[in-house]
Coordinates of all heavy atoms in Angstrom, one line a residue:
M2 N -232.6 -112.9 59.6 CA -234.1 -112.6 59.3 C -234.8 -112.6 60.6 O -235.8 -111.7 60.7 CB -234.6 -113.6 58.4 CG -236.0 -113.4 58.0 SD -236.1 -112.8 56.3 CE -237.7 -113.1 55.9
Q3 N -234.6 -113.5 61.5 CA -235.3 -113.7 62.8 C -235.0 -112.4 63.7 O -235.9 -112.0 64.2 CB -234.8 -114.9 63.6 CG -235.5 -115.2 64.8 CD -236.9 -115.5 64.8 OE1 -237.5 -115.9 63.7 NE2 -237.6 -115.5 65.9
Q4 N -233.7 -112.0 63.6 CA -233.4 -110.8 64.4 C -234.1 -109.6 63.9 O -234.6 -108.7 64.7 CB -231.8 -110.6 64.3 CG -231.3 -109.4 65.0 CD -231.4 -109.6 66.5 OE1 -231.5 -110.7 67.0 NE2 -231.4 -108.5 67.2
N5 N -234.3 -109.5 62.6 CA -235.0 -108.3 62.0 C -236.4 -108.3 62.4 O -237.0 -107.2 62.8 CB -234.8 -108.4 60.5 CG -235.3 -107.1 59.8 OD1 -235.4 -106.0 60.5 ND2 -235.7 -107.1 58.5
Q6 N -237.1 -109.4 62.4 CA -238.5 -109.6 62.9 C -238.6 -109.2 64.4 O -239.6 -108.5 64.7 CB -239.0 -110.9 62.6 CG -239.4 -111.2 61.2 CD -239.9 -112.6 60.9 OE1 -239.6 -113.5 61.7 NE2 -240.6 -112.8 59.9
E7 N -237.7 -109.7 65.2 CA -237.7 -109.3 66.6 C -237.6 -107.9 66.8 O -238.3 -107.3 67.7 CB -236.7 -110.2 67.3 CG -237.0 -111.7 67.4 CD -235.9 -112.4 68.1 OE1 -235.0 -111.8 68.7 OE2 -235.9 -113.7 68.1
N8 N -236.7 -107.3 66.1 CA -236.5 -105.9 66.1 C -237.7 -105.1 65.8 O -238.0 -104.1 66.4 CB -235.3 -105.4 65.2 CG -234.7 -104.1 65.5 OD1 -234.9 -103.5 66.6 ND2 -234.1 -103.4 64.6
Q9 N -238.4 -105.5 64.7 CA -239.6 -104.8 64.3 C -240.7 -104.9 65.4 O -241.4 -104.0 65.6 CB -240.1 -105.4 62.9 CG -239.3 -104.9 61.8 CD -239.8 -105.5 60.5 OE1 -240.5 -106.5 60.4 NE2 -239.5 -104.8 59.3
I10 N -240.8 -106.1 65.9 CA -241.7 -106.4 67.0 C -241.5 -105.5 68.2 O -242.4 -104.8 68.8 CB -241.7 -107.9 67.4 CG1 -242.3 -108.7 66.2 CG2 -242.5 -108.0 68.7 CD1 -242.3 -110.2 66.4
D11 N -240.2 -105.3 68.6 CA -239.8 -104.5 69.7 C -240.1 -103.0 69.4 O -240.6 -102.3 70.3 CB -238.3 -104.6 70.0 CG -237.9 -106.0 70.6 OD1 -238.9 -106.7 71.1 OD2 -236.7 -106.3 70.6
Q12 N -239.9 -102.7 68.1 CA -240.1 -101.2 67.7 C -241.7 -101.0 67.8 O -242.1 -99.9 68.3 CB -239.6 -100.9 66.4 CG -238.1 -100.7 66.3 CD -237.5 -100.6 64.9 OE1 -238.3 -100.7 63.9 NE2 -236.3 -100.2 64.8
T13 N -242.4 -101.9 67.3 CA -243.9 -101.8 67.3 C -244.4 -101.8 68.7 O -245.4 -100.9 69.0 CB -244.5 -103.0 66.5 OG1 -244.0 -103.0 65.1 CG2 -245.9 -102.8 66.4
Q14 N -243.9 -102.6 69.6 CA -244.3 -102.7 70.9 C -244.0 -101.3 71.6 O -244.7 -100.8 72.4 CB -243.7 -103.8 71.7 CG -244.2 -104.0 73.1 CD -245.6 -104.4 73.2 OE1 -246.2 -105.0 72.3 NE2 -246.3 -103.8 74.2
E15 N -242.8 -100.8 71.4 CA -242.4 -99.5 71.9 C -243.3 -98.3 71.5 O -243.7 -97.5 72.2 CB -240.9 -99.2 71.6 CG -240.4 -97.9 72.2 CD -238.9 -97.6 71.9 OE1 -238.3 -98.7 71.6 OE2 -238.5 -96.5 72.0
R16 N -243.6 -98.4 70.2 CA -244.5 -97.4 69.6 C -245.9 -97.4 70.3 O -246.5 -96.4 70.7 CB -244.6 -97.5 68.1 CG -243.4 -97.1 67.4 CD -243.4 -97.2 65.9 NE -244.5 -96.3 65.4 CZ -245.2 -96.5 64.3 NH1 -245.0 -97.6 63.5 NH2 -246.0 -95.6 63.9
L17 N -246.4 -98.7 70.4 CA -247.7 -98.9 71.0 C -247.7 -98.4 72.5 O -248.6 -97.7 72.9 CB -248.1 -100.3 71.0 CG -249.5 -100.8 71.5 CD1 -250.5 -100.0 70.8 CD2 -249.7 -102.2 71.4
T18 N -246.6 -98.7 73.1 CA -246.5 -98.2 74.6 C -246.5 -96.7 74.6 O -247.1 -96.1 75.5 CB -245.2 -98.7 75.2 OG1 -245.3 -100.2 75.2 CG2 -245.1 -98.3 76.6
N19 N -245.8 -96.0 73.7 CA -245.8 -94.6 73.7 C -247.2 -94.0 73.3 O -247.6 -93.0 73.9 CB -244.8 -94.0 72.6 CG -243.3 -94.3 73.1 OD1 -243.0 -94.4 74.3 ND2 -242.4 -94.3 72.1
I20 N -247.9 -94.6 72.5 CA -249.2 -94.2 72.0 C -250.2 -94.4 73.3 O -250.9 -93.5 73.6 CB -249.7 -95.0 70.9 CG1 -249.0 -94.6 69.6 CG2 -251.2 -94.7 70.6 CD1 -249.2 -95.5 68.4
E21 N -250.0 -95.5 74.0 CA -250.9 -95.7 75.2 C -250.6 -94.7 76.2 O -251.5 -94.2 76.9 CB -250.7 -97.1 75.7 CG -251.3 -98.2 74.8 CD -250.9 -99.6 75.3 OE1 -249.9 -99.8 76.1 OE2 -251.6 -100.6 75.0
M22 N -249.3 -94.3 76.5 CA -249.0 -93.2 77.4 C -249.6 -91.9 77.0 O -250.2 -91.2 77.9 CB -247.5 -93.1 77.6 CG -246.9 -94.3 78.3 SD -245.0 -94.4 78.5 CE -244.5 -92.7 78.4
K23 N -249.4 -91.6 75.7 CA -250.0 -90.3 75.2 C -251.5 -90.2 75.4 O -252.1 -89.3 75.8 CB -249.5 -90.1 73.9 CG -248.2 -89.7 73.6 CD -247.8 -89.5 72.2 CE -246.3 -89.2 72.0 NZ -245.9 -88.9 70.6
L24 N -252.2 -91.4 75.1 CA -253.6 -91.5 75.3 C -254.0 -91.3 76.8 O -254.9 -90.6 77.1 CB -254.1 -92.9 74.8 CG -255.6 -93.1 74.9 CD1 -256.4 -92.0 74.2 CD2 -255.9 -94.5 74.4
A25 N -253.3 -91.9 77.7 CA -253.6 -91.7 79.1 C -253.5 -90.3 79.5 O -254.3 -89.8 80.3 CB -252.6 -92.6 79.9
Y26 N -252.4 -89.5 79.1 CA -252.2 -88.2 79.4 C -253.4 -87.4 78.8 O -253.9 -86.4 79.4 CB -250.9 -87.7 78.9 CG -249.7 -88.1 79.7 CD1 -248.7 -88.9 79.2 CD2 -249.6 -87.7 81.1 CE1 -247.6 -89.2 80.0 CE2 -248.6 -88.0 81.8 CZ -247.5 -88.7 81.3 OH -246.5 -89.1 82.1
M27 N -253.8 -87.7 77.6 CA -254.9 -86.9 76.9 C -256.2 -87.2 77.6 O -256.9 -86.3 77.8 CB -254.9 -87.3 75.4 CG -253.8 -86.8 74.6 SD -253.8 -87.4 72.9 CE -255.4 -86.5 72.4
E28 N -256.4 -88.4 78.1 CA -257.7 -88.7 78.7 C -257.7 -87.9 80.1 O -258.7 -87.3 80.5 CB -257.8 -90.1 79.1 CG -258.2 -91.0 77.9 CD -258.2 -92.5 78.2 OE1 -257.4 -93.0 79.2 OE2 -258.8 -93.2 77.4
D29 N -256.6 -87.9 80.8 CA -256.5 -87.0 82.0 C -256.6 -85.5 81.8 O -257.5 -84.8 82.4 CB -255.1 -87.3 82.6 CG -255.0 -86.5 84.0 OD1 -255.9 -86.7 84.9 OD2 -254.1 -85.7 84.2
F30 N -256.1 -85.0 80.6 CA -256.3 -83.7 80.3 C -257.8 -83.3 79.9 O -258.3 -82.3 80.3 CB -255.4 -83.3 79.1 CG -255.4 -82.0 78.6 CD1 -254.9 -80.9 79.5 CD2 -255.9 -81.6 77.5 CE1 -255.0 -79.5 79.0 CE2 -255.9 -80.3 77.0 CZ -255.4 -79.2 77.8
V31 N -258.3 -84.2 79.2 CA -259.8 -84.0 78.8 C -260.6 -84.0 80.1 O -261.5 -83.2 80.1 CB -260.3 -85.1 77.8 CG1 -261.7 -85.1 77.6 CG2 -259.6 -84.9 76.5
N32 N -260.4 -84.9 81.0 CA -261.1 -84.8 82.3 C -261.0 -83.5 83.0 O -261.8 -83.0 83.6 CB -260.7 -86.1 83.1 CG -261.2 -87.4 82.6 OD1 -262.2 -87.4 81.9 ND2 -260.5 -88.4 82.9
Q33 N -259.7 -83.1 83.0 CA -259.5 -81.7 83.7 C -260.2 -80.7 83.0 O -260.9 -79.8 83.7 CB -258.0 -81.5 83.7 CG -257.1 -82.3 84.6 CD -255.6 -82.0 84.6 OE1 -255.3 -81.1 84.0 NE2 -254.9 -83.0 85.0
I34 N -260.2 -80.6 81.7 CA -261.0 -79.6 80.9 C -262.4 -79.8 81.2 O -263.1 -78.6 81.3 CB -260.6 -79.7 79.4 CG1 -259.2 -79.3 79.1 CG2 -261.6 -78.8 78.6 CD1 -258.7 -79.5 77.7
Q35 N -263.0 -80.9 81.3 CA -264.4 -81.1 81.5 C -264.7 -80.6 82.9 O -265.7 -79.9 83.0 CB -264.7 -82.6 81.4 CG -266.2 -82.9 81.5 CD -266.5 -84.4 81.3 OE1 -265.7 -85.2 81.3 NE2 -267.8 -84.6 81.3
E36 N -263.9 -80.7 83.9 CA -264.1 -80.3 85.2 C -264.2 -78.7 85.2 O -265.1 -78.1 85.8 CB -263.1 -80.8 86.2 CG -263.2 -82.2 86.5 CD -262.1 -82.7 87.5 OE1 -261.4 -81.8 88.1 OE2 -261.8 -84.0 87.6
V37 N -263.3 -78.1 84.5 CA -263.3 -76.7 84.3 C -264.5 -76.2 83.6 O -265.1 -75.2 84.1 CB -261.9 -76.2 83.6 CG1 -262.0 -74.7 83.3 CG2 -260.8 -76.4 84.5
A38 N -264.8 -76.9 82.6 CA -266.1 -76.4 81.9 C -267.4 -76.6 82.7 O -268.2 -75.6 82.6 CB -266.2 -77.4 80.6
V39 N -267.5 -77.5 83.5 CA -268.5 -77.8 84.5 C -268.6 -76.5 85.5 O -269.7 -75.9 85.7 CB -268.6 -79.1 85.1 CG1 -269.6 -79.1 86.3 CG2 -268.8 -80.2 84.2
E40 N -267.5 -76.3 86.0 CA -267.4 -75.1 87.0 C -267.7 -73.8 86.3 O -268.4 -72.9 86.9 CB -266.0 -75.0 87.6 CG -265.7 -76.1 88.5 CD -266.7 -76.2 89.7 OE1 -267.0 -75.2 90.4 OE2 -267.1 -77.4 90.1
Q41 N -267.3 -73.6 85.1 CA -267.5 -72.3 84.4 C -269.0 -72.3 84.1 O -269.6 -71.2 84.2 CB -266.7 -72.3 83.1 CG -265.3 -71.9 83.4 CD -264.4 -72.0 82.1 OE1 -264.8 -72.4 81.0 NE2 -263.2 -71.4 82.2
A42 N -269.6 -73.4 83.7 CA -271.1 -73.4 83.4 C -271.9 -72.9 84.7 O -272.8 -72.1 84.6 CB -271.5 -74.8 82.9
K43 N -271.4 -73.5 85.9 CA -272.1 -73.1 87.1 C -271.9 -71.6 87.4 O -272.9 -70.8 87.7 CB -271.5 -73.9 88.2 CG -271.9 -75.4 88.2 CD -271.2 -76.1 89.4 CE -271.5 -77.6 89.4 NZ -270.7 -78.3 90.4
E44 N -270.7 -71.1 87.1 CA -270.4 -69.7 87.4 C -271.2 -68.8 86.4 O -271.8 -67.8 86.8 CB -268.9 -69.5 87.2 CG -268.5 -68.0 87.6 CD -268.5 -67.7 89.0 OE1 -268.5 -68.7 89.9 OE2 -268.6 -66.5 89.3
I45 N -271.3 -69.2 85.2 CA -272.0 -68.4 84.2 C -273.6 -68.4 84.6 O -274.2 -67.3 84.6 CB -271.9 -69.1 82.8 CG1 -270.5 -68.7 82.3 CG2 -272.9 -68.5 81.8 CD1 -270.2 -69.5 81.0
E46 N -274.1 -69.5 85.1 CA -275.5 -69.5 85.5 C -275.7 -68.6 86.6 O -276.6 -67.9 86.7 CB -275.9 -70.9 85.9 CG -277.4 -71.1 86.1 CD -278.3 -70.7 85.1 OE1 -277.9 -70.9 83.8 OE2 -279.5 -70.2 85.3
L47 N -274.8 -68.6 87.6 CA -274.9 -67.7 88.8 C -274.8 -66.3 88.3 O -275.6 -65.4 88.7 CB -273.8 -68.0 89.7 CG -273.7 -67.2 91.0 CD1 -274.9 -67.3 91.9 CD2 -272.4 -67.4 91.8
L48 N -273.9 -65.9 87.4 CA -273.8 -64.6 86.9 C -275.0 -64.1 86.2 O -275.4 -63.0 86.2 CB -272.5 -64.4 86.0 CG -271.3 -64.5 86.7 CD1 -270.1 -64.7 85.7 CD2 -271.0 -63.4 87.7
R49 N -275.6 -65.0 85.4 CA -276.9 -64.7 84.7 C -277.9 -64.4 85.6 O -278.7 -63.4 85.5 CB -277.3 -65.9 83.8 CG -276.4 -66.1 82.6 CD -277.0 -67.1 81.7 NE -276.2 -67.2 80.4 CZ -276.2 -68.2 79.7 NH1 -276.8 -69.3 79.9 NH2 -275.5 -68.1 78.5
K50 N -278.1 -65.1 86.7 CA -279.1 -64.8 87.7 C -278.9 -63.6 88.4 O -279.8 -62.7 88.5 CB -279.2 -66.0 88.8 CG -279.7 -67.3 88.2 CD -279.7 -68.4 89.3 CE -280.2 -69.7 88.7 NZ -280.1 -70.9 89.7
E51 N -277.6 -63.3 88.8 CA -277.3 -62.1 89.4 C -277.5 -60.9 88.4 O -278.1 -59.9 88.8 CB -275.9 -62.1 89.8 CG -275.6 -62.9 90.9 CD -274.1 -62.9 91.3 OE1 -273.2 -62.3 90.6 OE2 -273.8 -63.5 92.4
N52 N -277.2 -61.0 87.2 CA -277.5 -60.0 86.1 C -279.0 -59.8 86.0 O -279.4 -58.6 85.9 CB -276.9 -60.4 84.8 CG -276.9 -59.3 83.8 OD1 -276.7 -58.2 84.1 ND2 -277.2 -59.7 82.5
K53 N -279.8 -60.8 86.0 CA -281.2 -60.7 85.9 C -281.8 -59.8 87.1 O -282.6 -58.9 86.9 CB -281.9 -62.0 85.8 CG -283.3 -61.9 85.6 CD -284.0 -63.3 85.4 CE -285.5 -63.2 85.2 NZ -286.0 -64.5 85.2
L54 N -281.3 -60.2 88.2 CA -281.8 -59.5 89.5 C -281.3 -58.0 89.4 O -282.1 -57.2 89.8 CB -281.1 -60.2 90.7 CG -281.7 -61.5 91.1 CD1 -280.9 -62.1 92.2 CD2 -283.2 -61.4 91.5
M55 N -280.1 -57.7 88.9 CA -279.8 -56.3 88.9 C -280.5 -55.6 87.9 O -280.8 -54.3 88.1 CB -278.2 -56.2 88.6 CG -277.3 -56.5 89.7 SD -275.6 -56.2 89.5 CE -275.1 -57.5 88.4
I56 N -280.8 -56.1 86.7 CA -281.6 -55.6 85.7 C -283.0 -55.2 86.3 O -283.5 -54.1 86.1 CB -281.8 -56.4 84.5 CG1 -280.4 -56.4 83.6 CG2 -282.9 -56.0 83.5 CD1 -280.4 -57.4 82.6
E57 N -283.6 -56.1 87.0 CA -284.9 -55.9 87.5 C -284.8 -54.8 88.7 O -285.8 -54.0 88.7 CB -285.4 -57.2 88.2 CG -285.9 -58.3 87.2 CD -286.1 -59.6 87.8 OE1 -286.0 -59.8 89.1 OE2 -286.4 -60.6 87.1
K58 N -283.8 -54.8 89.5 CA -283.6 -53.8 90.5 C -283.5 -52.4 89.8 O -284.1 -51.4 90.2 CB -282.4 -54.1 91.4 CG -282.3 -53.2 92.5 CD -283.5 -53.3 93.5 CE -283.2 -52.5 94.8 NZ -284.4 -52.6 95.6
I59 N -282.6 -52.3 88.8 CA -282.4 -51.0 88.1 C -283.7 -50.6 87.5 O -284.0 -49.3 87.6 CB -281.2 -51.1 87.1 CG1 -279.9 -51.3 87.7 CG2 -281.2 -49.9 86.1 CD1 -278.8 -51.7 86.9
K60 N -284.4 -51.5 86.9 CA -285.7 -51.1 86.3 C -286.8 -50.6 87.4 O -287.4 -49.6 87.2 CB -286.4 -52.3 85.6 CG -287.6 -51.9 84.8 CD -288.1 -53.1 84.0 CE -289.3 -52.7 83.1 NZ -290.4 -52.2 83.7
E61 N -286.7 -51.3 88.5 CA -287.6 -50.9 89.6 C -287.1 -49.5 90.1 O -288.0 -48.6 90.3 CB -287.4 -51.9 90.7 CG -288.3 -51.6 91.9 CD -288.0 -52.6 92.9 OE1 -288.0 -53.9 92.7 OE2 -287.8 -52.2 94.1
L62 N -285.9 -49.2 90.3 CA -285.4 -48.0 90.7 C -285.7 -46.9 89.8 O -286.0 -45.8 90.2 CB -283.9 -48.0 91.1 CG -283.5 -48.9 92.3 CD1 -282.0 -49.1 92.4 CD2 -284.1 -48.3 93.6
S63 N -285.5 -47.2 88.5 CA -285.7 -46.2 87.5 C -287.3 -45.9 87.4 O -287.6 -44.7 87.2 CB -285.3 -46.8 86.1 OG -285.7 -45.9 85.1
D64 N -288.1 -46.9 87.5 CA -289.6 -46.6 87.4 C -289.9 -45.8 88.7 O -290.8 -44.8 88.5 CB -290.3 -47.9 87.5 CG -290.2 -48.6 86.2 OD1 -289.8 -48.1 85.2 OD2 -290.6 -49.9 86.2
N65 N -289.3 -46.0 89.8 CA -289.7 -45.3 91.0 C -289.1 -43.8 91.0 O -289.8 -42.9 91.5 CB -289.1 -46.0 92.3 CG -289.9 -47.2 92.6 OD1 -290.9 -47.4 92.2 ND2 -289.2 -48.1 93.4
A66 N -288.0 -43.6 90.3 CA -287.4 -42.3 90.2 C -288.1 -41.4 89.2 O -288.0 -40.3 89.3 CB -285.9 -42.5 89.9
E67 N -288.8 -42.0 88.4 CA -289.5 -41.2 87.2 C -290.5 -40.2 87.8 O -290.6 -39.1 87.4 CB -290.2 -42.1 86.2 CG -289.3 -42.7 85.3 CD -290.0 -43.6 84.2 OE1 -291.2 -43.5 84.1 OE2 -289.3 -44.4 83.5
G68 N -291.1 -40.6 88.9 CA -292.1 -39.7 89.5 C -291.4 -38.5 90.3 O -292.0 -37.5 90.5
D69 N -290.2 -38.7 90.6 CA -289.5 -37.6 91.3 C -288.8 -36.6 90.5 O -288.3 -35.6 90.9 CB -288.3 -38.2 92.1 CG -288.9 -39.3 93.2 OD1 -290.1 -39.1 93.5 OD2 -288.1 -40.2 93.6
I70 N -288.9 -36.7 89.1 CA -288.3 -35.8 88.2 C -289.4 -34.9 87.7 O -290.2 -35.3 86.8 CB -287.6 -36.6 87.1 CG1 -286.5 -37.5 87.6 CG2 -286.9 -35.5 86.1 CD1 -285.9 -38.3 86.6
P71 N -289.5 -33.6 88.2 CA -290.5 -32.7 87.7 C -290.5 -32.2 86.3 O -291.6 -32.1 85.7 CB -290.4 -31.6 88.8 CG -288.9 -31.6 89.2 CD -288.4 -33.0 89.1
N72 N -289.4 -31.9 85.8 CA -289.4 -31.2 84.5 C -288.7 -32.2 83.5 O -287.9 -31.8 82.6 CB -288.5 -29.9 84.5 CG -289.2 -28.9 85.3 OD1 -290.3 -28.8 85.3 ND2 -288.4 -28.1 86.1
R73 N -289.2 -33.3 83.4 CA -288.7 -34.4 82.5 C -289.2 -34.1 81.1 O -290.3 -33.8 80.9 CB -289.1 -35.8 83.0 CG -288.5 -36.9 82.2 CD -288.6 -38.2 82.9 NE -287.8 -39.1 82.2 CZ -287.9 -40.4 82.3 NH1 -288.8 -40.9 83.1 NH2 -287.2 -41.2 81.6
K74 N -288.3 -34.2 80.1 CA -288.6 -34.0 78.7 C -289.4 -35.2 78.2 O -289.2 -36.3 78.7 CB -287.4 -33.9 77.9 CG -286.6 -32.6 78.1 CD -285.5 -32.6 77.1 CE -284.6 -31.3 77.4 NZ -283.5 -31.2 76.5
P75 N -290.4 -35.0 77.4 CA -291.1 -36.0 76.8 C -290.2 -37.0 76.0 O -289.1 -36.6 75.6 CB -292.1 -35.3 75.8 CG -292.1 -34.0 76.1 CD -290.8 -33.6 76.8
P76 N -290.6 -38.3 75.8 CA -289.7 -39.3 75.2 C -289.3 -38.9 73.8 O -288.3 -39.4 73.3 CB -290.7 -40.6 75.3 CG -291.7 -40.3 76.1 CD -291.8 -38.8 76.4
H77 N -290.1 -38.0 73.1 CA -289.7 -37.9 71.8 C -288.5 -36.8 71.6 O -288.1 -36.5 70.5 CB -290.9 -37.3 71.0 CG -291.5 -36.1 71.4 ND1 -292.4 -36.0 72.5 CD2 -291.3 -34.7 71.0 CE1 -292.8 -34.8 72.7 NE2 -292.1 -33.9 71.8
Y78 N -288.0 -36.3 72.6 CA -286.9 -35.3 72.6 C -285.6 -36.0 72.6 O -285.2 -36.9 73.2 CB -286.9 -34.3 73.7 CG -287.9 -33.2 73.3 CD1 -289.2 -33.1 73.9 CD2 -287.5 -32.1 72.5 CE1 -290.1 -32.1 73.6 CE2 -288.4 -31.1 72.2 CZ -289.6 -31.1 72.8 OH -290.4 -30.1 72.6

């Protein structure tokens, strides 16, 4: 009976050790994913700013070019 209890304790300890190892790997993986997410958020913000600038520039160029088109159709066509 004593041997059976010791065997169960050993098995439980081994399972606990395996769970702790898996948890450590998962924590590391989550940290890596978080770092990637932060970098992606920075990149997205930069792209949004660039996109806004390009939209403004295109609008500005379009507004400036409208005066250069002599036979432009009215908007309702």
Side-chain angles (χ1 to χ4, degrees):
M2 182 109 160
Q3 179 71 16
Q4 180 68 22
N5 190 22
Q6 283 180 336
E7 288 178 11
N8 192 22
Q9 284 180 339
I10 291 172
D11 289 344
Q12 287 177 349
T13 302
Q14 186 64 34
E15 184 178 336
R16 289 179 66 207
L17 182 59
T18 301
N19 288 336
I20 290 170
E21 288 173 339
M22 286 175 29
K23 287 180 182 181
L24 179 60
Y26 283 118
M27 288 177 68
E28 286 176 336
D29 183 55
F30 182 67
V31 168
N32 287 335
Q33 290 176 16
I34 290 175
Q35 185 175 10
E36 288 175 15
V37 169
V39 168
E40 288 301 315
Q41 287 178 342
K43 289 176 184 177
E44 184 72 20
I45 288 169
E46 185 59 31
L47 177 65
L48 292 171
R49 284 182 176 161
K50 288 177 182 178
E51 289 176 356
N52 190 37
K53 183 178 178 182
L54 289 173
M55 284 191 287
I56 289 170
E57 291 171 359
K58 186 66 174 178
I59 289 170
K60 186 174 186 304
E61 178 185 316
L62 291 172
S63 176
D64 290 346
N65 290 340
E67 281 183 14
D69 296 340
I70 304 173
N72 293 325
R73 188 163 186 197
K74 290 183 181 179
H77 61 279
Y78 279 102

